[in-house]
Amino acid sequence: MRSSKLFALIPFLRLAVAQNTWTLVQQGNTGIIPVEFITLSPTLGLMYDRPYVNPLKLPDGQPAWAALWHFDTNTATPLEVETNTFCAGGAFISNGTLVAIGGQPLDAIPGWGNATDGTMGIRLFGPCNSADGTGPGCTVFEDPQNMHLVVTRWYPTALRIPDGSLFIMGGSDILTTFNGADIAQNNYEFFPPRKGEVGKVRPSKFLNDTLPANLFPRSMLLPSGHVLMMANNQSMIYDIETDTELLRLPELPNGVRIGVPFDGFAQLLPLSPPLYEPTVLACGGSNKPDTITLEEMNTQDVATTQCQRMTLTPAGLAAGWQIEHMPEPRIMPETVILPTGDIVILNGAHSGYSGYPSVGNSALTGTNGANPATRGIMYRTTLPAGQRLTQTGLPTSSIPRMYHSVATLTAKGNIMIAASNPHPFVLTADNNPNNLSFPSEYRVEYLNPDFITHNLPRPVITHSPSKLAFNAKGTITVTIPHSLAAGELQVSLIDMGFITHAWHAGSRLVFLDHKLVGNQLTITTPPNGNIYPPGPAWIYVVADGVWSEGVQIMIGDGGNPPRPAQGVPVHINSL
């Protein structure tokens, strides 16, 4: 009798420990600056950096610039890499291999490692099925002489598309704050190359028109199979199959720009059956003109608070951008989409710009940004306008996370936050003779929701298929705590994205149709690769706003790209 009464009190106990509050915990040291991060498995993440004098060393004593992150021990293991991985793009392809593309020109600096030019680099990792990262496939494979991009690319974007291959966009030949016509790669290519396009690129009028703020173009696969591309203050919809720009969207309102060095974020909001209507959200950045000179720019130039979203349907296009405002300005933000579909906005600054020190007064601090943003913002996707953005329940960090910081959802269901290095070298607290701001940051923090902090009941997935075809049913064995059973049940299929420079390329969430009978949860996968491109995914079960740990699953047949069309065509309402 006593235990049943206690069990009945669990919902009230959950409220008593501050439901919807989050806690920050410091755990571990990355050993390199993870300028790029991607979650590989429940136990492993992959980190890429510039060949600095990092504390993490390779077996030969040289500093590492690539490493595996072990989520279970919060430690890093160095990886051997040949080319310079700094400022690369990347994504998984349909067979589960992680592909990183492009990178930094040669860093011929003694003691900084032995990296070769990375601007045409293609690096393959995995699939790695070892929990500790020591098994087959758990190394970086490169063959620069025989496997490389068509052109040099620094700050490119790679996006997995419906055939499971990568659509590669933009970049520059060299390091730069603003891209320029003489150095820009205003073109596209594919990996693997498409038939008839080996050794060729597709010119892009859109990228040319969005100079000089078009590095790391923010791009998303739409349910129509088209690609939404955003750069500077412009957006367009592109048909990959016909190499046609279909539509230019209205410019972002009020002169706001989200492209480098005015870095804001862009995120495709959750897709839901049966219509999978896509909505894009963009927040932060700057409303300074792109004609501004470096000398005119200042670290104290305040970023924008503006968010804008648009549903990419004919009706949504007619309504235009819908404006909201964050409670504080934000430049260089990182965004994490939660299994509920809400978005946490983290890191970055309240003023300044991205990039290495180059703006008018940057010599004073050694950085382009100032006034670190140390408290997160929650964007509650389904609430009405005016109620979506809040900082309630989110803690303040003591660690500035400026340029070159990252944040990602983990399999455990919390958020890993790491890195920060706005300097072109490693600057530590005990090696900072000029007292420059924001030293290089190796400490890791985890942002934990209340149910993890207080070990409260949450859904538990005890069995899940490892692979499912498109438009297929599968069964998950799940335990839903009694205290959560009366709430809404959701099943989320998530791509966490390739994370770098305020941009999570490929990040998306698709809600799945489902039916729960006892502890057997039958799910229906997306109908085709336009809704979720074939490749690795994570499944989370959400009950009454509380999510399970994530389990990995392969969506599609797991074959090498390009894959033939899989699944079935469906009627969707999308541009």
Side-chain angles (χ1 to χ4, degrees), residues 286-298:
S286 173
N287 60 5
K288 294 294 183 180
D290 61 6
T291 54
I292 193 172
T293 65
L294 292 174
E295 292 74 18
E296 293 170 327
M297 296 160 72
N298 191 291

Side-chain angles (χ1 to χ4, degrees), residues 216-361:
F216 280 131
R218 277 64 169 151
S219 303
M220 299 150 224
L221 177 67
L222 300 179
S224 59
H226 302 144
V227 170
L228 170 68
M229 198 176 305
M230 305 178 73
N232 202 327
N233 65 343
Q234 299 186 44
S235 311
M236 74 94 168
I237 295 176
Y238 176 74
D239 187 326
I240 295 171
E241 301 307 320
T242 62
D243 184 21
T244 304
E245 180 180 319
L246 300 176
L247 178 68
R248 290 276 174 114
L249 303 183
E251 291 185 355
L252 299 182
N254 303 316
V256 165
R257 305 174 195 282
I258 62 169
V260 178
F262 311 105
D263 291 49
F265 78 82
Q267 173 68 52
L268 186 68
L269 298 186
L271 299 171
S272 298
L275 295 181
Y276 302 101
E277 289 189 348
T279 297
V280 62
L281 172 71
C283 292
S286 173
N287 60 5
K288 294 294 183 180
D290 61 6
T291 54
I292 193 172
T293 65
L294 292 174
E295 292 74 18
E296 293 170 327
M297 296 160 72
N298 191 291
T299 62
Q300 300 300 319
D301 290 344
V302 178
T304 183
T305 61
Q306 184 171 296
C307 290
Q308 47 271 304
R309 61 187 269 176
M310 182 187 292
T311 299
L312 300 175
T313 62
L317 181 62
W321 292 107
Q322 305 300 302
I323 296 175
E324 304 168 84
H325 285 275
M326 297 180 286
E328 60 185 29
R330 195 66 66 110
I331 191 92
M332 301 177 290
E334 297 294 329
T335 54
V336 176
I337 190 163
L338 299 175
T340 57
D342 292 339
I343 295 168
V344 183
I345 304 167
L346 297 161
N347 302 5
H350 295 147
S351 67
Y353 303 88
S354 67
Y356 279 152
S358 54
V359 305
N361 68 333

Side-chain angles (χ1 to χ4, degrees), residues 50 84-87 102-107 116-119 154 175:
R50 183 179 185 178
N84 195 329
T85 57
F86 191 53
C87 299
Q104 177 97 337
L106 181 65
D107 273 330
T116 59
D117 189 315
T119 52
W154 179 83
L175 286 68

Side-chain angles (χ1 to χ4, degrees), residues 5-15 456-457 483:
K5 286 183 178 179
L6 179 62
F7 189 75
L9 284 173
I10 285 177
F12 302 100
L13 291 174
R14 184 167 183 267
L15 288 172
L456 299 175
S483 57

Side-chain angles (χ1 to χ4, degrees), residues 16 58 84 180 205 235 242 249 299 443 459 461 500 523 554 570 574:
L58 293 162
N84 195 329
K205 185 178 186 302
S235 311
T242 62
L249 303 183
T299 62
R443 289 173 293 177
I461 299 173
T500 188
I523 60 171
M554 176 66 73
V570 292
S574 171

